[in-house]
Amino acid sequence: MTPELKSEIDDIIDEFDLLGDWEERYRYLIELGKALPDMSDDERIDDNKVKGCVSQVWLVAEHDSSAPRRLMFRAQSDAHIVRGLAALLIRLYSGRTSDDILAVDARQVIREIGLAEHLSPQRSNGLNSMIGRIQAEAEAASAH
């Protein structure tokens, strides 16, 4: 894991540590989700839909041409908290190499910021589906 990525994870943990209770953390998560740019109708297609989420979630992965190649992610959801979780994952993973993406345990970060125990089983499943999709994109990119 690069020092830059470690620093970003530490920043996320510190931001959530400043918040009092889990309700404040949820509100902050929702605000993160509101900051995600909208996706066009052309991007809200079945191929971009994350399977395994109760909410509708679309995830687009793009590869840049740098060396080493980095993956850029964009996401959107029709549910506020899921959209916030997607925003958090994008912050963790977007602009990273496949190796960095595969080195990050987003579930551990979610536990460390105090959200894991407050996610419903459906949201936890959706989170796992988003993480799985991002990791699959990274594995496919590293195979090329």
Side-chain angles (χ1 to χ4, degrees):
M1 180 181 314
T2 64
E4 174 191 337
L5 180 53
K6 174 72 171 114
S7 177
E8 184 66 31
I9 291 170
D10 290 343
D11 288 348
I12 290 169
I13 293 168
D14 289 346
E15 287 169 21
F16 277 85
D17 280 348
L18 292 173
L19 303 170
D21 58 14
W22 65 270
E23 288 181 27
E24 285 182 38
R25 292 168 190 221
Y26 263 174
R27 279 194 290 277
Y28 182 61
L29 194 64
I30 290 168
E31 290 302 314
L32 291 175
K34 287 180 181 178
L36 284 178
D38 285 330
M39 282 187 159
S40 69
D41 289 340
D42 294 343
E43 294 174 314
R44 290 181 187 225
I45 58 173
D46 235 25
D47 285 349
N48 292 336
K49 213 168 194 187
V50 177
K51 311 297 186 244
C53 293
V54 173
S55 306
Q56 293 194 77
V57 180
W58 296 272
L59 179 72
V60 175
E62 298 167 328
H63 307 257
D64 75 0
S65 59
S66 67
R69 292 181 65 190
R70 297 179 182 279
L71 285 93
M72 308 304 288
F73 295 99
R74 291 180 292 112
Q76 192 58 254
S77 176
D78 62 348
H80 294 296
I81 295 202
V82 175
R83 190 173 175 168
L85 290 170
L88 191 57
L89 293 178
I90 286 172
R91 187 167 166 195
L92 278 173
Y93 292 123
S94 192
R96 312 279 180 209
T97 65
S98 294
D99 288 345
D100 276 346
I101 290 168
L102 296 171
V104 173
D105 183 359
R107 292 168 194 89
Q108 179 61 34
V109 175
I110 298 295
R111 283 190 292 275
E112 287 187 44
I113 62 177
L115 286 177
E117 64 269 19
H118 298 289
L119 294 177
S120 68
Q122 292 90 351
R123 287 191 184 122
S124 291
N125 288 340
L127 175 66
N128 288 329
S129 294
M130 286 187 285
I131 294 168
R133 172 80 177 274
I134 290 168
Q135 290 175 334
E137 293 283 350
E139 288 170 356
S142 68
H144 288 102

